[in-house]
Amino acid sequence: MSEEWKWIEDKVKAGERLTREDALRLSSNPDLLFLGRLAQEVKKRKTGDQVFFNVNRHINLTNICSSRCRFCAFSCDPGDPRAYTLTANQAVKIVEDALPLGITEIHLVSALHPDLPFAYYLEVVKRLKERFPHIHLQAFTAVEIKYFSDISGLSIREVLTRLQEAGLGSMPGGGAEIFSPRIRAELCPKKASGEEWIEVMKTVHELGIKSNATMLFGHIETDEEMIDHLLQLRQLQDDTSGFQSFIPLPFHPRHTALSHLSPPSAWEALRVLTLSRLILDNFPHIKAFWIMLGLKVAQLSLEFGVNDLDGTVVEERIVHAAGASTEKGITKERLIEIIRQAGKVPVERDTLYRIIRVY
Ligand code: V47
């Protein structure tokens, strides 16, 4: 690497925090292998050669959604032939069927359903926890929590406390998209703003609930908007330390209102993963959601700052509605093989990153 970029190498080696200006400068560097080496250095410092994975089952309770974000091909209006809503019994049955896989986590998200009351979500959580007390329930995005507050008239804190009492263990990082008001006005004007997402997460962390954070990239965002998204997350993490992992999600345009856009390339995905690892110095884990990245890019990402692979999943609906051609799930054995092939040490974890087994 030329002298021009030595400053960043020095900063990363010294463990110094990147400024907004540093991040912007770095985002203009097209040398992906250089970025990857830097990100890998940060990752090694945090978790060595270990790569975490978990055995989980994703469940989407309904696809009927009043938000109808332009990037989403999964949601639909009531009355649409694709519309479905699971009963609590059906959700229980789905988990029962997944028990032989040895799942330790249920990843449960819903949509902004126009008619279902908050009591429905509480009931599902309660039933799942009663029936499967040993399985961790990671449920509902910050956007949904804000919506539950709106429809129930309860405060955000009260909504969270009731869900916690019913059995919620932690929260996924969805609904963050890109915090920029320009992007949200363009893509998802009907749901919680970036500021509201951050406010909800602040309360989540204050209550001692751990969460993840995501970013949807590869649509109409600029590098500046992406970096500001990362910096807002870094600031909140400084304040609360409540985030466990960060998951950049590559946009899949098929069947969405943005189907004229090309999906982000492998190069772009790896670039975003490396920048995330370098900027989010206070996040313990950067996670590759292989379902959206594709297994091949997800495996390569283990050389570009990623230390966590999600997961067995079993059934995924959101990006498969948007044309994803990946499998909907994967076996634990295959995840282990993929990590080993990349020269890393597979570590099965639970949702709170406690080690279950090192392979
Ligand atoms: O918020 C929606 C994204 C998210 C599309 O926290 C799309 O561990 C690509 O957040 N193309 C939901 N992405 C999924 C999510 C998630 C996934 C895995 C792990 C975790 C975690 C969280 O999916 C939404 C949105 O950003 N999304 N439509 C699309 N067409």
Side-chain angles (χ1 to χ4, degrees), residues 292-307:
M292 292 200 191
L293 284 167
L295 212 41
K296 291 175 181 172
V297 176
Q299 187 186 36
L300 273 180
S301 78
L302 304 181
E303 262 338 294
F304 290 79
V306 166
N307 71 332

Side-chain angles (χ1 to χ4, degrees), residues 22-40:
D22 292 341
L24 280 170
R25 262 176 89 188
L26 200 57
S27 71
S28 72
N29 187 329
D31 187 344
L32 183 62
L33 291 181
F34 173 68
L35 293 178
R37 269 198 306 278
L38 294 178
Q40 203 64 355

